[in-house]
Amino acid sequence: MDQERTQRRGSIPLRRLLGWTDPSKFTTHHEDLATQQEQLVEIIDQHGFNWRVYAVAASGFFTDSYNLFVSNVVLPALAFVYWPNAHVAKTAIYINLVTLIGSAVGQVVFGFLADKYGRQRLYGIELFIVIISTIGFAQCSRGIVHTFSDSTSEASMSIASWLMAWRFVMGIGIGAEYPLSACITAEWSATQSRGRMLSAVFLMQPIGQLVAWLVGIAALAGLSKYYDFSVGIDNSGNDHAAVGIDILWRIVVGVGAIPAAIAIIFRWTIPESGRYTIAVKQDAKTALSDTRRVYANPPASTSAIGPDKLELQELAPNAMPPHEYLQPNRQDTPQPSPEPSTRDEENYTLDLPEAGEGHDSAEYELPHDEKAYTQFTRKALHQYFIAEGNWRYLAGTSLAWLILDFPYYGLGFNSASTMAKLWTAQRPPSTSATPSWLYASPYGDTGTVSSVLRANAKETLVTTSIGSILGTLLLIATINHFDRRKALVWSFLALALALCVFGVAYLYLFHTASHAVLIVFYAVLQFGFAFGPNTLTFILPAEIFPTKYRCTCYGISAAAGKIGSILAQISFLYFDSGDLSEPDSKSLGYVSFLYAGVMVLGAVVSWAWIPTVQERESEKPYRLRTKTLEVMAEGEEGVPEEEKVG
C-alpha cells in the first residue's frame, strides 16, 4: 500500500503535461511559449487599425448603445399609452433601474465566462439575448382589458411587469457586450493602435443614441400620415392616437434587433483571440494560426520584421507547429497529424525521480498561474490580486467607473425631464392632474404627443449627441499624444469645475430668458465626458489586466459603473421626495455640486490606483509609446518602483 501511494505521488497524468512527454523540457516549454507569444505580438504589431476587428466589436457595441438608450425615446410614448393619468412616471424609472441591474449582472457573469471558457465560445450569445429580449419587449401586452361603467378598467396582465422583465433580460445581453467588445478589440489590436481602436469602438455609444432618436423621428413622421397625433391633455381622439403611438414605440424598439443580427454575422468571421489561446490554453500552434487568419499578410511598407522571421522555429517535440506553418502568403491548409500514440493518454503516468536522486523536483511542476483553465483557483487569485497587490488596479478601474457613471447617468439617462428644465424660459403650465408625458416636457398642458416626442428628439440631439460625438472623435485623433492615466485624472478635475459652473448658472438662469446658456453648458459637459472619463474608463480596464483575468476584471469594473448609474436613478426617486423629477425644481443645480465633489474623488482614485499604460521613448522623450498588453500583464511586480500605485 505504501509503495502504491508513493507511486501515485510521483506520477503525473499525461493530460496534465499538455502534450509534452518529457518533464525535463517543462522549462523549455515555457520559454518556447514566451518566444511564440512575442512572435504573435510582432505579427499583430506590424499592422495598424484593423477594420475587420473594429467591425466585429463596434457592431456589437452599437447594438448595446441603441438598446440601452432607446428607453429615452420610447418611455414618454409608453406613458402616453399605458399610464396616461400618472402624474409622476415612476414606472419609467423602475424600467431604467431593472435594465441597469440586468446590465451589471451580464457584465460580471459574461466577463468571468469569457475568461474561463474563451471569448469565441461566447461570441454572439449576448447578441442572441438582446434579439430575443427585444422581440419580447416589443410584444408586451396588457392582455384582455375590461372597462367598467365608471370608466375604470382591469387588465388580465401587468404591462409594466412584462416591460421590466424583458428589459432586465435585455440588460443582461447589453452588459455582456461590454467586456467582450472591449477585450476583443484590445487583444486583436496592434499596440500603437489599441487606444484609437478602443476609443473608436466607444464612439458607437453616442452614435447608437443618435440613431435611436433618428429612428424615433422617422417612425413618428411615417405614422403621422395615418394617425392624428395632435392629442394633448384633452383626451378626445386619444384612443386612435394611442394605437399609433403604441405601434411607434414597438417599431423603435424592434429596430434594435437588426444591428444585433448584423453583429452576429461579424462575430462569425473572427476566431478566438490568439492572446487568449496562447496565454490561457497554452496552444501556440492554434494561436499563431488564428492570428495569421486575421492578419494574413504583413503590410509591405510598414513591416518591421522580415518575412523570414515569421516562421516558427524548431522546438521541443509536440510543443510547437511545424517549421513551415507560418510562411508568409501561405494559405491555411490542414497540417499533417502526429503519429498516433499507442499509449492510453488519459491514464498514462510518468514516474518522477524521488527527491535526492540528483534532480530538483520543482523543475517538473507547471506554474499554477500558467496551467490551462486553472486561473481561477484560490491560490492563483490570491497570488495575483493579494500577494502581488494588483487588487489596487481593480479597485481603481471599478471606483473610477462608478464615480463617472453616477453624474453621467444622473444628468442624461432621464433625458426628457432634464431637457425640459434646460429648454424652457418659464415653467410650463401644469397642474397636479397633468400626465407625466406632458408634465416632464417643455410644453406642459399646452403640448401634444407629437410635439413632445419631436421636442425630446431635437433637444437631445443638440445638447447631448453632438457634443458626445465631437468629444469622442477628438479623443480618437489625439489619444496617442497624451498620457491616458494623467488625462483621466485631469479630465475628472476639469469636469468637477465645469459641474460647479453649471450648478451656479443653473440656480441663477433656470427659467429665465438666458436659459440658452444652460443648454450650451450642458453640451460642453457632454463633450467633456466623451473626451475624458466616459471614454477613458471604457479603455483602461481592457489594457491593464492580464489576458487570463482581462474580461473578468473588465466586467467587474463596468458593473461598478452600472452601480453608479443605479444610484443616480434611485436619486430621482428619493432625493428630496422625488423633487429632481419636478419640471420647476432647482434641485439639479444643487445636485451638480454633489456631482462635482464626486468627480474630485474620481481624480484621486485614478491618480492613486490606476497605472500608466504608456511610457516615453528614450530617444524622443516628447513621444509616448504604448505598453504592450504583455508588459501590462506583469502588474505591480513588473512596474518600476517610481511608477507603482498605492
Side-chain angles (χ1 to χ4, degrees):
M1 181 65 69
D2 292 340
Q3 183 178 2
E4 183 179 349
R5 288 200 190 100
T6 303
Q7 185 176 2
R8 284 204 300 267
R9 284 198 302 267
S11 301
I12 299 179
L14 183 61
R15 58 182 178 175
R16 292 182 58 194
L17 303 186
L18 304 178
W20 284 268
T21 58
D22 185 355
S24 66
K25 296 178 180 177
F26 284 176
T27 304
T28 304
H29 158 53
H30 293 299
E31 292 174 353
D32 293 344
L33 276 180
T35 300
Q36 301 310 327
Q37 189 173 52
E38 291 175 4
Q39 188 178 39
L40 182 145
V41 174
E42 288 174 348
I43 294 172
I44 296 176
D45 281 353
Q46 291 178 80
H47 299 73
F49 196 102
N50 188 299
W51 288 100
R52 177 181 173 187
V53 174
Y54 177 71
V56 170
S59 58
F61 202 68
F62 171 85
T63 300
D64 257 25
S65 177
Y66 182 98
N67 287 286
L68 179 62
F69 291 96
V70 76
S71 61
N72 284 332
V73 183
V74 303
L75 285 176
L78 285 166
F80 174 81
V81 176
Y82 294 110
W83 42 92
N85 299 318
H87 181 60
V88 179
K90 288 189 176 182
T91 304
I93 298 177
Y94 292 142
I95 291 174
N96 283 338
L97 270 174
V98 297
T99 305
L100 296 170
I101 293 171
S103 181
V105 172
Q107 287 163 341
V108 173
V109 172
F110 274 74
F112 167 76
L113 293 177
D115 280 339
K116 182 70 174 178
Y117 300 109
R119 288 80 166 112
Q120 189 182 37
R121 289 192 180 185
L122 300 178
Y123 284 179
I125 294 178
E126 80 286 6
L127 296 171
F128 274 115
I129 294 174
V130 170
I131 291 173
I132 293 170
S133 57
T134 297
I135 295 172
F137 187 82
Q139 293 182 333
C140 286
S141 170
R142 290 188 294 184
I144 302 298
V145 180
H146 175 71
T147 303
F148 298 98
S149 57
D150 60 355
S151 298
T152 60
S153 61
E154 180 182 6
S156 61
M157 295 192 297
S158 168
I159 183 70
S161 298
W162 277 110
L163 291 172
M164 286 188 280
W166 280 115
R167 281 296 282 183
F168 176 79
V169 176
M170 186 185 294
I172 292 175
I174 290 171
E177 185 62 31
Y178 273 73
L180 289 173
S181 289
C183 294
I184 288 171
T185 304
E187 292 174 6
W188 281 113
S189 297
T191 301
Q192 279 303 113
S193 299
R194 191 174 68 229
R196 285 197 303 125
M197 286 190 65
L198 283 165
S199 53
V201 169
F202 192 77
L203 177 64
M204 292 300 103
Q205 185 182 83
I207 289 180
Q209 296 180 61
L210 172 67
V211 172
W213 285 108
L214 293 178
V215 171
I217 293 173
L220 181 63
L223 290 170
S224 294
K225 299 177 182 179
Y226 307 99
Y227 298 91
D228 181 13
F229 292 144
S230 57
V231 175
I233 198 169
D234 180 7
N235 288 332
S236 60
N238 188 45
D239 288 345
H240 189 247
V243 172
I245 296 299
D246 196 51
I247 295 173
L248 182 145
W249 75 260
R250 295 177 194 274
I251 291 174
V252 176
V253 170
V255 167
I258 298 175
I262 296 173
I264 289 175
I265 297 173
F266 280 123
R267 291 289 161 92
W268 289 339
T269 68
I270 195 166
E272 178 63 88
S273 160
R275 281 184 160 105
Y276 178 85
T277 303
I278 201 170
V280 179
K281 294 184 179 180
Q282 298 191 356
D283 184 352
K285 176 178 178 178
T286 302
L288 289 164
S289 172
D290 289 344
T291 302
R292 288 288 293 153
R293 287 169 57 192
V294 176
Y295 295 97
N297 297 303
S301 60
T302 60
S303 178
I305 315 169
D308 58 313
K309 294 186 179 180
L310 294 180
E311 301 177 2
L312 288 175
Q313 304 170 0
E314 292 285 354
L315 298 169
N318 300 324
M320 294 284 85
H323 180 72
E324 68 278 5
Y325 193 84
L326 287 183
Q327 290 285 355
N329 304 320
R330 178 183 177 89
Q331 299 296 322
D332 288 331
T333 56
Q335 299 299 312
S337 300
E339 290 294 327
S341 174
T342 59
R343 296 180 292 203
D344 180 359
E345 295 191 358
E346 180 71 18
N347 299 316
Y348 175 77
T349 59
L350 184 68
D351 293 334
L352 294 178
E354 297 293 336
E357 293 186 11
H359 301 278
D360 182 2
S361 61
E363 72 173 303
Y364 301 119
E365 297 180 1
L366 290 174
H368 66 84
D369 58 342
E370 295 192 23
K371 292 180 183 177
Y373 304 104
T374 60
Q375 72 267 43
F376 290 104
T377 61
R378 181 180 299 178
K379 185 177 181 182
L381 291 170
H382 182 274
Q383 177 64 29
Y384 177 76
F385 289 102
I386 306 303
E388 297 178 13
N390 294 307
W391 65 269
R392 298 182 184 90
Y393 291 178
L394 182 57
T397 56
S398 299
L399 288 174
W401 209 329
L402 184 153
I403 289 167
L404 175 276
D405 274 4
F406 179 60
Y408 180 76
Y409 280 82
L411 289 171
F413 205 45
N414 299 86
S415 65
S417 61
T418 303
M419 295 301 104
K421 295 180 177 70
L422 301 178
W423 283 77
T424 51
Q426 60 185 2
R427 176 182 177 179
S430 61
T431 67
S432 59
T434 303
S436 61
W437 59 274
L438 278 174
Y439 191 59
S441 77
Y443 300 105
D445 291 347
T446 63
T448 65
V449 64
S450 60
S451 65
V452 168
L453 294 177
R454 286 193 178 95
N456 289 345
K458 179 193 72 174
E459 293 162 4
T460 305
L461 290 176
V462 171
T463 54
T464 301
S465 296
I466 293 176
S468 297
I469 290 174
L470 291 177
T472 310
L473 286 173
L474 181 60
L475 186 67
I476 294 171
T478 60
I479 193 167
N480 287 331
H481 299 286
F482 53 76
D483 186 296
R484 293 200 265 282
R485 172 178 171 269
K486 291 181 180 179
L488 180 61
V489 173
W490 285 107
S491 60
F492 266 126
L493 293 175
L495 280 169
L497 178 61
L499 283 165
C500 286
V501 174
F502 175 77
V504 172
Y506 187 90
L507 293 176
Y508 283 95
L509 302 179
F510 176 62
H511 282 172
T512 68
S514 302
H515 69 98
V517 175
L518 299 179
I519 299 173
V520 174
F521 271 129
Y522 189 90
V524 170
L525 282 173
Q526 295 303 313
F527 177 90
F529 278 118
F531 184 67
N534 196 31
T535 307
L536 291 172
T537 52
F538 175 85
I539 294 172
L540 287 168
E543 299 186 287
I544 292 173
F545 302 101
T547 301
K548 60 186 177 181
Y549 299 128
R550 183 169 294 119
C551 282
T552 300
C553 293
Y554 195 99
I556 293 172
S557 302
K562 287 297 174 283
I563 292 174
S565 63
I566 290 168
L567 294 175
Q569 294 303 296
I570 293 175
S571 69
F572 272 87
L573 287 172
Y574 298 109
F575 182 84
D576 198 12
S577 299
D579 191 48
L580 272 175
S581 301
E582 295 293 322
D584 61 336
S585 169
K586 286 190 175 184
S587 294
L588 185 61
Y590 298 112
V591 170
S592 295
F593 297 123
L594 171 64
Y595 290 160
V598 169
M599 297 300 268
V600 172
L601 180 60
V604 173
V605 169
S606 302
W607 173 78
W609 283 346
I610 292 182
T612 180
V613 297
Q614 295 149 291
E615 58 189 357
R616 298 202 174 273
E617 296 183 4
S618 56
E619 297 179 357
K620 299 178 180 179
Y622 59 89
R623 294 186 59 181
L624 286 170
R625 179 174 55 216
T626 304
K627 297 179 182 179
T628 67
L629 294 178
E630 288 67 32
V631 170
M632 294 304 303
E634 296 176 5
E636 279 284 86
E637 288 197 340
V639 175
E641 191 64 35
E642 63 274 11
E643 294 184 14
K644 290 185 180 295
V645 302

